[in-house]
Each structure stands twice: as structure tokens, then as C-alpha cells.
Amino acid sequence: MSTLRTNDWALSARSRGSAYVALTKPDVSFLVLATTAAGYYMGARGPVNWLHMIHTIFGTMLIAAGTAALNHYIERDSDRFMRRTALRPLPSGTLRPGEALLFGVALSVAGALYLYFAAGWLPAALGTGTCLAYLLAYTPLKKRSVWATFVGAFPGAIPPMIGWVAASGKLDLGAWLLFAILFFWQFPHFYAIAWMYREDYARAGIRMLPVVDPEGVRTFRQILLTATALIGVSLLPSIAGITGVFYFFGALVLSVSLLRVCLWAAQVKTNVRAKWLMHATVLHIPLLLALMMYDKIPR
């Protein structure tokens, strides 16, 4: 009997541990960390201080994880109505709302303090601003207006700026160029996801653009416009002298290729094509950042 109780306790502990990890949205947090690392590398003058870079990434990770957990807490009722989120820790009952709230607040505060002492006040302010904008502007707006995606793109584009500022100490042109690239990239990515799950969003009362645009005309117009803008924005680091010719032509090929996938998805607006577009965006941004880092002009 004691062995059974011990096994049950171990299973319960593992289940709760996995639930706490799920609260941090590891897939989203990984993108945040990757863009922060790229921003730091691009912002560094001279040799990269790898230990300082790790500290910056760790502090950003804490804030990103805390923001994700608090998002779970805020959207726990909406998540019950969506198939893709119904099994999350709070709707499924694996964790209680109070536990997620405490976990999210603790991680967010710890991340802000860690960034402050490890990287300075400006990276900490950017990280804190990202958290607050995501939770207090983007999250509640999702049930009120299709402009939520536009508003959410601002905090979503800040992580590379955190890395850049931590490395250089300045919020200069390079930081804003990274912000712009990630800002425009988000629209094809998130609109593709929203198109795939538009019925889920409708059940939860979330007013994503595909919910109020059942024919997809406005949705795919936005995808094409922002993907086109991304082509021009992606070339600016080379024009500004941050990267070289190799990146310029590599970015041109990558961004034009993404636009072609967007055009292909817009021709027949199916969930299958939207899924391929989503995969294309996921592939696009790490390749673009890798090219940028490879072809960085020494400063």
C-alpha cells in the first residue's frame, strides 16, 4: 500500500511539474530567447561577453515565462472553450488559478530584478514594459477588437531590443531595425494560426480578424501587405551598414520566398495551406537572424 501511495505521489508531482512547465509556454518562450540572443550578438561591440549574454537571456527567460503563466491565469475561462487550449493546466484542473498567479508574478518580478542587476535598468524596463503591455493591453483587447494583433505585435517585437541594449547600452538604430523585422514578421505568423483556429477563437469570444472575416479577404490582405513590408525592412540592416552583402541577398531570397508562400496560401484559403504558411514563418525568422549574425560587420 505504501508503495502505491509513493508511486501516486510521484506521478502527481511529475504531473504538476509538467503543468508548471506548460504554464511558461516553452515554444513561445524559446522564440523570445532566440531573438534576445540574436539582439545581444548584433548589438555587441567587439568580442561578445558570453557570460553577460547568458545572464541577459536568463533574466529575459524569467520574464517571458512569468508573462506566459499570467496569460494562462487571465485567459483560463476562455481556454475552456477552445479545443487547442482545453487541456492546459488551469482548464483541466491540474493546477489552481491561485497557483498560476503566484507562479507568474514570482517569475516576472524575479526576471525584472535579475535583468536590472545583470544588464542594467534599460533592459529591465524593456522587459517589464513587454510584460505589462502583453497582459494589460493585448490580452484584454483580444475579446474586444481585431486590433489586438496589431497591439500585441509591439511587445512581441521587443525581446531583440532587450538583447541589443544589454550588449551596447544604447537604444539606437540597430535595435529599432530588429524591432521592425520582428514586428512585421508576426502578422503572417499569427494570422496563419488564427485562420487555422478561427472556430476555436469564435467559441471563446476572441475577436481575431479571421473570426469577423469568414471569407478571409481582410486576413490574407493583411498577411500579404505585412509580408511585402517585411521584404523591405529585412534589407535595412545591410543598408544601415550593420550587415554585409551576403545578408542582403540572403534576406531578399528568404523574404521573397515567404511572400510566395503567402500568395500561395491566399489563393486557396484552407487550413492546410495556412498551416504550411505558419511553418514557413517559423523557419523564416531563425534563418534570417542566423544570416544576420553570420554576416555582421565588426564594430
Side-chain angles (χ1 to χ4, degrees), residues 124-179:
L126 287 171
T128 303
T130 301
C131 174
L132 294 176
Y134 188 89
L135 296 174
L136 302 181
Y138 167 66
T139 300
L141 196 61
K142 286 165 69 175
K143 286 201 167 188
R144 300 177 185 176
S145 172
V146 297
W147 285 93
T149 304
F150 176 78
V151 172
F154 285 90
I158 291 177
M161 300 179 80
I162 296 174
W164 182 285
V165 170
S168 68
K170 299 178 182 178
L171 193 62
D172 53 14
L173 177 62
W176 288 107
L177 291 180
L178 290 173
F179 172 90

Side-chain angles (χ1 to χ4, degrees), residues 9 16 29 57 59 71 87 94 145 169-170 173 176 197 232 267 297:
W9 181 87
R16 288 174 59 79
S29 295
I57 293 171
N71 177 257
L87 295 179
T94 307
S145 172
K170 299 178 182 178
L173 177 62
W176 288 107
Y197 295 107
Q267 289 174 349
I297 294 177

Side-chain angles (χ1 to χ4, degrees), residues 28 31 37-38 53 61 72 83 115 127 144 158 181 185 226 246 274 283:
V28 177
L31 176 63
M53 179 180 179
M61 179 190 72
H72 274 268
R83 293 191 184 98
L115 270 181
R144 300 177 185 176
I158 291 177
I181 290 172
W185 170 85
T226 50
F246 181 79
L283 186 63

